[in-house]
Amino acid sequence: MSVSNLKPREEKATVKSDLISQGCIDLLNYRINEEEKSWRMYEDMYLWLEDKGYVNAAALWRTYAQEELTHADWGKQYLLGLGIKPKLLAMPALSGNYSLPSIIKDSHAHEVLITKQCQVLAMKATAEGDFMLHELALQYLKEQHEELGRQQNWLDQLESFGSDRLALRLLDNAMAV
């Protein structure tokens, strides 16, 4: 079967590239926004940790924040490579009201949510036969597996050793990067 015999995407007229549907573009713009929201959340947590003297946890969450910007850039570069300008959305306000245990628990819950979102992106790409986007979705999912593992480790330690002042001090020491 030649490429010219293949049926073009039905949404071709609504997007700049016939290599990606508008639905996939929307999901990628959403992914970019969610990664930037993750950056902002982790950045806020880093600032709180730094302010409260959790120097090792602060350095770690600062690293997490910087990684999220890299993940947002994956989606931006993917769309730009198809001649599509990503749409950046407004960032929500943050509470800034934390504790080290809440940061660990909230970070874990957040990574579970992001993983589910990345799974939706992978399913959409597969359903549409967009194998280039599927590869990007798998890249996101591979990263999520790593991030879930890190957060699960901190959650496990918090649950195993408690949240008294000494346990939190030792946990901060364990977070040295």
Side-chain angles (χ1 to χ4, degrees):
M1 173 184 275
S2 73
V3 173
S4 61
N5 292 339
L6 294 175
K7 181 181 174 188
R9 295 190 182 275
E10 292 180 21
E11 298 181 54
K12 181 178 177 183
T14 63
V15 297
K16 189 172 183 176
S17 172
D18 64 351
L19 297 174
I20 188 169
S21 70
Q22 186 62 49
C24 287
I25 292 170
D26 293 344
L27 276 176
L28 264 178
N29 278 319
Y30 181 75
R31 177 79 270 117
I32 292 164
N33 186 61
E34 290 298 298
E35 296 295 338
E36 289 182 346
K37 282 173 32 182
S38 296
W39 160 73
R40 185 80 181 265
M41 181 183 81
Y42 287 150
E43 184 77 5
D44 195 46
M45 290 173 171
Y46 141 68
L47 293 170
W48 185 91
L49 290 162
E50 185 73 33
D51 184 56
K52 299 302 180 189
Y54 291 106
V55 294
N56 295 313
L60 188 57
W61 259 258
R62 186 172 195 202
T63 299
Y64 294 163
Q66 292 166 343
E67 289 174 357
E68 299 303 331
L69 286 179
T70 299
H71 307 156
D73 198 49
W74 295 346
K76 291 174 190 174
Q77 293 306 311
Y78 186 89
L79 287 175
L80 288 169
L82 296 175
I84 300 164
K85 183 185 176 290
K87 291 181 184 175
L88 302 181
L89 306 174
M91 291 285 115
L94 299 167
S95 73
N97 189 14
Y98 306 110
S99 66
L100 181 55
S102 75
I103 285 174
I104 292 169
K105 292 172 186 174
D106 291 349
S107 296
H108 181 266
H110 180 73
E111 293 304 334
V112 169
L113 174 67
I114 296 299
T115 300
K116 290 177 181 179
Q117 293 171 354
C118 292
Q119 289 171 334
V120 169
L121 179 63
M123 287 186 287
K124 175 77 169 171
T126 300
E128 295 208 7
D130 189 336
F131 301 111
M132 291 189 306
L133 180 57
H134 188 259
E135 185 175 329
L136 177 60
L138 292 178
Q139 182 178 352
Y140 278 117
L141 286 168
K142 180 179 179 186
E143 186 66 25
Q144 282 310 115
H145 185 261
E146 178 184 320
E147 291 178 1
L148 280 169
R150 292 188 305 211
Q151 295 304 332
Q152 186 64 52
N153 175 54
W154 301 131
L155 187 61
D156 290 345
Q157 289 189 47
L158 182 64
E159 289 174 357
S160 293
F161 305 116
S163 58
D164 63 62
R165 294 171 62 95
L166 180 58
L168 293 179
R169 178 67 176 155
L170 292 172
L171 186 56
D172 181 58
N173 287 342
M175 291 179 173
V177 286

